[in-house]
Amino acid sequence: MPQLRVAAFSISLDGLGAGPRQSLEHPLGVGGMELHRWAFATRSFRRMHGKDGGSTGVDEDFAARSFANVGAWILGRNMFGPIRGPWPDAQWRGWWGESPPYHVPVFVLTHHPREPIEMQGGTTFHFVTGGVDEALNHAFDAAGGKDVRLGGGVAVVRQYLAARLIDEIHLALSPVLLGQGEPLFAGLDLPALGYRCSAPTAGEQATHFLLHRDGGRAG
């Protein structure tokens, strides 16, 4: 059965999934890029961005797994760009240039309608105004029997967690203290929501955990 997965989601030792004050200069918030250093070095990440080389080992194994069997993505609006409120025009087309690294349909949660954007390499951004359930239904339809990957950001992951819609979460615990930013689990009772954690797996630059949800998907 296709799953909704969060994969290669990096958090700090103090439980933050992004830094504060997102901007063009700091797309993951101030200090947020430090969370993902383990991934940047891997062969899968470099290949995703059209580059050669990269590390092998445990971190690479988890990075490669994160892209396997993914037929569609869901992103929060902040993951698509730093613009807030109504779209001022059609100029902003994402952080990634004309050839984004997704290569499948991507559904962006937003309160403000916008026409789909067809990019190079097979990525099309669809903008969903009907909330998390509508985005999930569209994504599963588009995925053609494959899994849907929930890319974040933190607020969107929290919404799907609270609704018990995520089947699996791969967390990469980075040896970083951010101090400020967006807490991933604050106010969420994960055991009460049915989530259980696997034993940790030590990677080269991060420690990896898998969380699975008991029972069927809510809704």
Side-chain angles (χ1 to χ4, degrees):
M1 178 178 176
Q3 294 190 326
L4 175 63
R5 297 192 286 126
V6 175
F9 197 94
S10 303
I11 62 170
S12 66
L13 292 174
D14 44 353
L16 303 174
R21 301 184 296 280
Q22 184 196 42
S23 65
L24 282 172
E25 294 76 22
H26 301 285
L28 300 176
V30 176
M33 296 292 281
E34 292 296 316
L35 299 177
H36 303 274
R37 287 199 176 277
W38 73 271
F40 295 156
T42 63
R43 181 170 56 190
S44 289
F45 184 89
R46 292 181 61 83
R47 184 185 302 122
M48 182 183 182
H49 291 270
K51 299 179 181 179
D52 296 326
S55 64
T56 60
V58 172
D59 287 346
E60 160 58 19
D61 291 344
F62 276 97
R65 183 180 183 274
S66 74
F67 296 112
N69 197 44
V70 174
W73 285 65
I74 298 173
L75 300 179
R77 178 164 169 176
N78 291 2
M79 289 291 291
F80 180 73
I83 300 169
R84 306 293 185 263
W87 302 100
D89 50 46
Q91 291 188 20
W92 181 263
R93 295 165 63 86
W95 299 102
W96 311 275
E98 289 301 306
S99 184
Y102 299 104
H103 311 299
V104 294
V106 179
F107 295 86
V108 180
L109 287 156
T110 177
H111 295 296
H112 302 280
R114 183 172 175 178
E115 291 299 312
I117 308 173
E118 186 172 348
M119 309 292 285
Q120 298 175 15
T123 301
T124 299
F125 292 111
H126 302 272
F127 299 90
V128 180
T129 58
V132 295
D133 289 311
E134 180 179 316
L136 186 58
N137 290 335
H138 286 319
F140 273 128
D141 287 344
K146 294 184 177 181
D147 292 341
V148 173
R149 181 168 169 182
L150 179 59
V154 171
V156 171
V157 173
R158 288 171 55 81
Q159 288 182 66
Y160 278 98
L161 274 173
R164 296 185 69 249
L165 292 171
I166 300 173
D167 296 292
E168 180 186 274
I169 307 171
H170 162 220
L171 296 175
L173 183 64
S174 295
V176 174
L177 291 170
L178 287 184
Q180 300 180 57
E182 298 185 43
L184 181 58
F185 296 128
L188 292 175
D189 186 339
L190 293 183
L193 291 169
Y195 288 93
R196 303 290 181 264
C197 185
S198 69
T201 301
E204 293 76 22
Q205 298 189 56
T207 302
H208 303 273
F209 298 84
L210 291 176
L211 279 65
H212 291 93
R213 180 186 37 73
D214 296 335
R217 185 180 300 122

